[in-house]
Amino acid sequence: GQQLNQSPQSMFIQEGEDVSMNCTSSSIFNTWLWYKQDPGEGPVLLIALYKAGELTSNGRLTAQFGITRKDSFLNISASIPSDVGIYFCAGSTGTASKLTFGTGTRLQVTL
Amino acid sequence: SAVISQKPSRDICQRGTSLTIQCQVDSQVTMMFWYRQQPGQSLTLIATANQGSEATYESGFVIDKFPISRPNLTFSTLTVSNMSPEDSSIYLCSVDLGGDRPQHFGDGTRLSIL
C-alpha cells in the first residue's frame, strides 16, 4: 500500500539542539497526525492537524499542516534524551478513517 | 483517550500454527483497526474490524490468513493463521474514538515464528 515519505530517515543530534523532520505525499490528506514510538510500545499521539496551513504546538513540539495538503512538518525544540525514539507521520482522508503511515524518522540524542 | 489492552504482549510460535491476539478497550468505540509492523518498518493497515459484519481488508491481506472478529464495541481479535517466519512482526490494535479524536494504539503483540 501507499506510504508517506519521511525525511530524514534517521538523525543524531546533541542535547539542546532543535530538530526538524518532514513528511510528504503524492496524495492529499485532510488530517495529519504525528506519533512517537518507543521500543516495546505502541505509537503515542503527539499532535493532530486538521486544517491546511494550521500550526499547532504541544510543549516543545510544533507541527504544521502543509498548505498543499500533501505535506507536514514537525519541529522539536531544545531536544532532551527522552526525545529518542521513532517519529511517524500519518495521514487520513477523514477524521474517522484509516491511516496511512510514513516511513519513520529515528531520532537519537547524545549528551 | 481510551485504555487499550492487547494480549498476549509477545509470543514465540511454531511454524504452521495459529495465534489469536485480543484487543480490549475500556469504552465503546465505533472503529477498530489492526496493523502490522514488520521488523524495523512502519505500520501497515491489515483491516478495519467492523462490529456486526465482516472486516474490511486492505490490499495484500486476506481473511483466510488474518481472520478478525468484532463481537461488540469494546473487543476484537486478530488471528494469524498457518504462521511462517515471514509473519514475525508486531501486530497493533488501534481505536478511533470518533469526532475530532484521532486513533490511539495499544502496545502491540510481538510475534516471533520459529
Side-chain angles (χ1 to χ4, degrees):
Chain A
Q2 179 191 9
Q3 274 195 336
L4 306 177
N5 293 315
Q6 279 186 248
S7 65
Q9 184 176 2
S10 65
M11 52 198 315
F12 252 109
I13 62 167
Q14 288 196 329
E15 183 178 6
E17 288 185 346
D18 297 343
V19 175
S20 291
M21 60 188 79
N22 66 54
C23 184
T24 59
S25 169
S26 57
S27 304
I28 289 174
F29 288 103
N30 295 326
T31 299
W32 284 95
L33 307 171
W34 284 93
Y35 291 87
K36 177 175 183 268
Q37 187 176 30
D38 291 328
E41 299 182 9
V44 174
L45 181 70
L46 299 174
I47 291 180
L49 302 157
Y50 299 106
K51 190 175 177 182
E54 179 183 357
L55 188 70
T56 297
S57 293
N58 177 9
R60 293 179 296 104
L61 278 61
T62 301
Q64 183 161 26
F65 190 143
I67 198 72
T68 66
R69 297 190 171 200
K70 293 183 178 182
D71 55 12
S72 180
F73 308 88
L74 177 69
N75 295 316
I76 305 173
S77 62
S79 59
I80 59 178
S82 62
D83 290 334
V84 166
I86 304 176
Y87 291 79
F88 289 105
C89 64
S92 170
T93 55
T95 54
S97 177
K98 58 188 182 185
L99 296 178
T100 300
F101 274 81
T103 48
T105 293
R106 181 182 296 273
L107 179 63
Q108 293 175 283
V109 180
T110 58
L111 299 175
Chain B
S1 63
V3 176
I4 304 164
S5 303
Q6 277 190 241
K7 291 181 181 179
S9 59
R10 61 178 66 243
D11 207 340
I12 301 172
C13 300
Q14 294 295 321
R15 182 191 303 252
T17 63
S18 299
L19 179 74
T20 295
I21 302 168
Q22 299 179 2
C23 180
Q24 178 76 53
V25 191
D26 68 344
S27 58
Q28 293 186 340
V29 295
T30 306
M31 309 283 281
M32 294 181 77
F33 304 89
W34 287 98
Y35 290 81
R36 181 176 72 182
Q37 187 175 25
Q38 294 177 301
Q41 302 296 311
S42 183
L43 284 76
T44 301
L45 180 65
I46 297 172
T48 303
N50 302 309
Q51 196 269 330
S53 64
E54 265 192 15
T56 305
Y57 289 83
E58 297 300 306
S59 175
F61 297 98
V62 295
I63 188 171
D64 289 347
K65 177 66 175 177
F66 298 102
I68 288 171
S69 79
R70 178 90 191 271
N72 56 52
L73 293 176
T74 64
F75 187 77
S76 179
T77 66
L78 168 76
T79 299
V80 186
S81 303
N82 188 25
M83 289 183 286
S84 66
E86 292 71 35
D87 294 320
S88 297
S89 294
I90 302 172
Y91 292 87
L92 295 134
C93 166
S94 78
V95 303
D96 192 310
L97 302 177
D100 281 346
R101 293 169 292 177
Q103 286 184 35
H104 290 264
F105 287 81
D107 279 340
T109 296
R110 278 141 195 85
L111 187 55
S112 298
I113 293 89
L114 303 178

